Amino acid sequence: MSAQVSSGVGTQVAGLYLYGIAPRRTRLPRDLTGLHGAPVRLVPLGEVAALVSDLDGRAVVGLPAEVRDYVAVLDAVAATGPVLPVRFGTTVDDAADMGAAFPAPQQREHADRLRELADAVQLTVRARFVQDAVIAQLVEEEPEIRRLREQTREHLEEETYRARIRLGELVVAGFDRKRAEYAATLEAAAAPHAVEVRQRPTSQVDDVAELAALVPRGAVQAFEDALEAYAAGTAGIVAVRLVGPQAPYDFVEGA
């Protein structure tokens, strides 16, 4: 490839920052700006076009403001039409190099994928346990947890070392059981209104699930209603946050 394309963050360049690929006839929101306040424009590539803004030599280092600007551009375009996100930090020397960076076969692949996504947006669901409420449930439901909790409260820490370890193990196991239950019902609520639902990995004990859903634009309200019903049914136990509509970050390879 003759074009100088960088997908690393932190390289100081004077060129073009690349946000994504959109249909050639995309109408950008008025006064749309991207990284460092630079205006966003389209560079035609056959049936598609690249969303870009000028760089002035400042390094793209992945600061929170830069990530927010990148996401804001893509989500603003996704609000009215399809867009394929490009990995954060991707730059190209200039518009003349764009054709070499995206040869004709790749342009056609992008055009096909944009047509597939023309009527869909991503909605992201994040659900977390209300930790104190779940612990209270476990204390009520499981006699051994209740006994160990009382024991560790009534004795010095050094006297209950093993009991505390066992209590922690039982509580984590209890969260795991409840997570499986609540995550399954969350996905069951979301799936009927989505083309596809993907589970994102989670790592905290109070995480229930994080779902990325590809939702037809006409079904967004039904999807939101289903999530509101889930949130009402789990109020006080699970806190639910819905983000979107967004660009389809989880449904584009390499995004």
Side-chain angles (χ1 to χ4, degrees), residues 79-228:
T80 57
V83 61
L84 306 179
V86 170
R87 188 181 302 277
F88 178 85
T90 300
T91 63
V92 181
D93 282 352
D94 54 43
D97 280 339
M98 200 70 73
F102 295 93
Q106 193 173 29
Q107 293 174 23
R108 289 192 291 271
E109 289 176 8
H110 291 332
D112 289 342
R113 186 60 175 146
L114 285 165
R115 282 189 282 271
E116 292 171 0
L117 294 171
D119 188 43
V121 292
Q122 178 169 318
L123 294 171
T124 302
V125 185
R126 296 170 182 145
R128 301 190 74 180
F129 283 121
V130 179
Q131 201 169 95
D132 288 346
V134 175
I135 290 174
Q137 279 189 345
L138 293 173
V139 169
E140 182 178 348
E141 293 168 358
E142 301 192 26
E144 188 174 2
I145 288 180
R146 185 164 58 251
R147 180 183 64 78
L148 289 170
R149 196 161 187 254
E150 292 170 358
Q151 181 182 343
T152 55
R153 280 180 170 179
E154 294 170 356
H155 296 83
L156 296 175
E157 185 172 343
E158 57 269 24
E159 296 175 347
T160 57
Y161 175 74
R162 292 185 182 278
R164 290 176 189 277
I165 291 177
R166 179 57 179 159
L167 176 60
E169 292 171 344
L170 290 173
V171 168
V172 168
F175 269 88
D176 288 344
R177 287 194 301 276
K178 289 185 177 292
R179 180 180 301 108
E181 172 190 345
Y182 283 98
T185 55
L186 175 62
E187 187 163 358
H193 310 286
V195 177
E196 185 178 352
V197 176
R198 294 186 178 181
Q199 287 264 7
R200 286 180 174 176
T202 57
S203 58
Q204 302 300 313
V205 69
D206 56 351
D207 287 330
V208 176
E210 188 163 328
L211 306 179
L214 191 62
V215 180
R217 293 177 189 274
V220 168
Q221 187 60 58
F223 186 94
E224 292 177 352
D225 291 345
L227 265 293
E228 286 184 8

Side-chain angles (χ1 to χ4, degrees), residues 13-26:
V13 295
L16 298 177
Y17 185 87
L18 181 58
Y19 300 87
I21 303 295
R24 184 178 178 126
R25 292 181 176 81
T26 295

Side-chain angles (χ1 to χ4, degrees), residues 53-79:
S53 64
D54 291 324
L55 288 169
D56 58 5
R58 278 181 285 183
V60 178
V61 296
L63 295 172
E66 293 174 337
V67 176
R68 284 196 297 269
D69 288 343
Y70 160 81
V71 169
V73 167
L74 290 166
D75 289 353
V77 175

